[in-house]
Amino acid sequence: MMGVRMKRLTTRMFRTGFTLIELLVVITILAVLAGAALPYVQSYVQESRISKAKADLEEIGRALAVYETRERDYNASDVSQLTGRYLNKSPIDPWGRSYVVATSSGIVLSCGPDRVPFNQDDLVYGYQPPLSLVKVKWVDANQTGAVDTQNTPDYLQI
């Protein structure tokens, strides 16, 4: 009698686990679901990188505008001179490159996913409006204190 009980007890212990086939079926189902969801997740990651880069570009653009209003023309090709007084830290774009400042064009840009500057996929933010006047000065050429257009004409220095 004792032997029959032991036999039933040992067979119950082996029946409580999963078989290898059941585990393989579950793993296969999970792999198919992950494979189907992966493209959607990758597009969300790409969109979040683009929105972060746009937010960084706007912040850098505002800092550059304030810098040029208070100090002088910004001449560096990166944002390192803005760190401290105008930016908390020098940001890196989501693809691991520094932001590029094109001072001659008045733009700041991120190199984008291909990490090559001045290419098709760059994200660009203009920090200077086109044809904006930064400083205008009236020059009294003959130092009379009045506008003179006859002898030595006065002029505006832009």
Side-chain angles (χ1 to χ4, degrees):
M1 186 119 169
M2 191 70 143
V4 175
R5 281 191 179 171
M6 283 300 271
K7 191 173 187 181
R8 285 185 188 164
L9 189 60
T10 55
T11 55
R12 284 186 193 157
M13 289 181 10
F14 289 118
R15 289 185 187 169
T16 60
F18 296 108
T19 65
L20 182 60
I21 299 292
E22 291 171 333
L23 288 175
L24 288 175
V25 168
V26 170
I27 290 172
T28 304
I29 291 171
L30 290 175
V32 168
L33 290 174
L38 191 63
Y40 296 110
V41 171
Q42 286 177 340
S43 69
Y44 286 128
V45 169
Q46 186 69 9
E47 288 175 15
S48 68
R49 286 181 176 173
I50 290 172
S51 65
K52 183 193 179 318
K54 286 181 180 179
D56 285 348
L57 287 171
E58 288 179 15
E59 181 181 359
I60 293 168
R62 285 191 297 272
L64 282 166
V66 171
Y67 180 91
E68 288 192 346
T69 302
R70 291 182 182 171
E71 308 283 335
R72 60 190 181 284
D73 289 339
Y74 192 80
N75 294 324
S77 64
D78 60 354
V79 295
S80 61
Q81 291 181 6
L82 299 173
T83 306
R85 190 168 178 190
Y86 299 99
L87 288 173
N88 290 335
K89 62 178 183 169
S90 183
I92 303 288
D93 76 356
W95 298 279
R97 295 277 314 241
S98 297
Y99 290 98
V100 178
V101 179
T103 54
S104 61
S105 306
I107 60 171
V108 60
L109 62 97
S110 168
C111 295
D114 70 351
R115 298 180 177 104
V116 177
F118 305 107
N119 206 343
Q120 295 291 336
D121 69 338
D122 293 349
L123 300 170
V124 179
Y125 182 80
Y127 66 91
Q128 285 181 342
L131 300 175
S132 65
L133 293 176
V134 177
K135 186 177 181 182
V136 177
K137 180 181 175 185
W138 173 57
V139 178
D140 188 8
N142 59 2
Q143 307 194 339
T144 60
V147 177
D148 187 11
T149 58
Q150 298 297 324
N151 300 326
T152 306
D154 298 334
Y155 59 92
L156 294 176
Q157 185 179 28
I158 300 174

